[in-house]
């Protein structure tokens, strides 16, 4: 059977999309991996404009589409995703998508899970809680997702210090640097491994 020319990444993003931007940049001229589409639940997400800049198709959906229909699943299938990356996407992923893409959906979380995860723990809330608790360090967790918030198998954790006097914003900026450095590399590695596995099978 003919192999597809490139591996496809689909990004889900709800907000600014700076991690989406890093993926768009990293894979723009990649020989074997592309960002095929970006999906968002937020019509005001700046991530949508970033996708447009890179001529990557973008799709908007609402709660009804996501949780009570197969509309998102059908749109996703058009892009034959090899990996779905939640990059600042805040909704729990429904069963129909988990079943359709087993071990193919990953999330980036701006803390060292299993601490500082779960419903409502996103963005600034995470960093505020870490600073408030007086933690000496924080970091990032890249993990597969499952039906619970922030509970799937870890792929990578990286750490950074929490410095005396850090505000949540200062910590967020340090953690975001880690995210930007590692997310494209982890995505590239997972897809490369997937490709090597398929060549063996
Ligand atoms: C990132 O820090 C990401 O880890 C976090 O949202 C931010 C999105 O930034 N995700 C979560 O908190 C998920 N629980 P971005 O839109 O600039 O990529």
């Amino acid at each position: 059977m003919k192999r597809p020319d490139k591996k496809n990444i689909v990004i889900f993003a709800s907000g600014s999309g700076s991690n989406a931007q890093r993926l768009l940049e990293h894979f723009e001229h990649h020989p074997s991996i592309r960002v095929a589409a970006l999906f968002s639940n937020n019509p005001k997400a700046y991530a949508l404009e970033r996708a447009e800049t890179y001529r990557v198709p973008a799709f908007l959906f609402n709660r009804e589409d996501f949780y009570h229909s197969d509309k998102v699943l059908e749109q996703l299938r058009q892009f034959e995703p090899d990996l779905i990356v939640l990059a600042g996407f805040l909704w729990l992923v429904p069963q129909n998508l988990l079943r359709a893409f087993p071990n193919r959906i990953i999330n980036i979380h701006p803390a060292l899970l299993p601490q500082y995860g779960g419903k409502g723990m996103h963005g600034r809330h995470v960093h505020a809680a870490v600073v408030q608790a007086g933690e000496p360090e924080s970091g990032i967790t890249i993990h597969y997702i499952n039906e619970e918030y922030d509970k799937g198998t870890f792929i990578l954790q990286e750490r950074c210090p929490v410095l005396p006097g850090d505000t949540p914003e200062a910590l967020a900026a340090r953690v975001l640097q880690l995210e930007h450095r590692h997310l494209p590399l982890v995505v590239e590695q997972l897809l490369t491994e997937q490709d090597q596995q398929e060549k063996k099978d």
Side-chain angles (χ1 to χ4, degrees):
M1 201 176 89
K2 187 179 166 301
R3 282 182 196 285
D5 59 336
K6 286 193 184 190
K7 290 271 175 193
N8 291 317
I9 301 165
V10 173
I11 301 171
F12 277 60
S14 305
S16 159
S18 69
N19 279 290
Q21 171 84 27
R22 289 291 296 117
L23 295 171
L24 289 160
E25 283 164 11
H26 188 85
F27 294 107
E28 188 182 11
H29 302 296
H30 196 282
S32 56
I33 299 170
R34 72 163 77 86
V35 177
L38 182 142
F39 282 63
S40 183
N41 58 320
N42 176 8
K44 295 195 183 124
Y46 188 59
L48 293 164
E49 288 182 42
R50 298 188 196 263
E52 199 183 326
T53 305
Y54 283 81
R55 297 174 196 280
V56 164
F59 293 87
L60 255 184
F61 58 88
N62 59 29
R63 226 164 236 291
E64 179 68 23
D65 300 335
F66 200 49
Y67 289 114
H68 303 292
S69 82
D70 279 335
K71 214 164 142 181
V72 175
L73 177 59
E74 282 159 17
Q75 277 175 332
L76 262 176
R77 282 211 160 109
Q78 290 175 41
F79 296 100
E80 302 184 2
D82 296 290
L83 197 66
I84 296 171
V85 182
L86 311 186
F89 180 71
L90 306 183
W91 288 359
L92 202 60
V93 173
Q95 277 295 336
N96 63 341
L97 298 194
L98 290 172
R99 266 198 302 268
F101 305 106
N103 284 319
R104 293 204 167 195
I105 314 182
I106 68 170
N107 179 47
I108 184 158
H109 186 79
L112 297 169
L113 293 175
Q115 287 195 291
Y116 305 103
K119 193 168 165 49
M121 269 295 173
H122 55 81
R124 192 183 189 285
H125 301 290
V126 176
H127 306 298
V130 171
V131 168
Q132 174 72 28
E135 296 286 356
E137 60 179 11
S138 189
I140 64 169
T141 306
I142 300 176
H143 62 99
Y144 290 102
I145 64 150
N146 62 20
E147 58 290 331
E148 290 182 82
Y149 278 108
D150 302 323
K151 282 284 171 68
T153 310
F154 294 175
I155 301 164
L156 176 91
Q157 287 196 308
E158 288 289 331
R159 292 161 189 273
C160 64
V162 180
L163 299 177
D166 259 353
T167 58
E169 288 71 23
L171 178 58
R174 196 172 308 120
V175 170
L176 200 60
Q177 277 185 0
L178 276 184
E179 298 190 39
H180 292 170
R181 188 173 329 137
H182 291 284
L183 184 62
L185 300 178
V186 166
V187 167
E188 185 167 14
Q189 188 181 344
L190 289 175
L191 287 169
T192 305
E193 285 168 7
Q194 208 185 83
D195 192 50
Q196 285 165 353
Q197 190 56 45
E198 284 166 6
K199 282 178 181 148
K200 273 196 222 151
D201 291 344

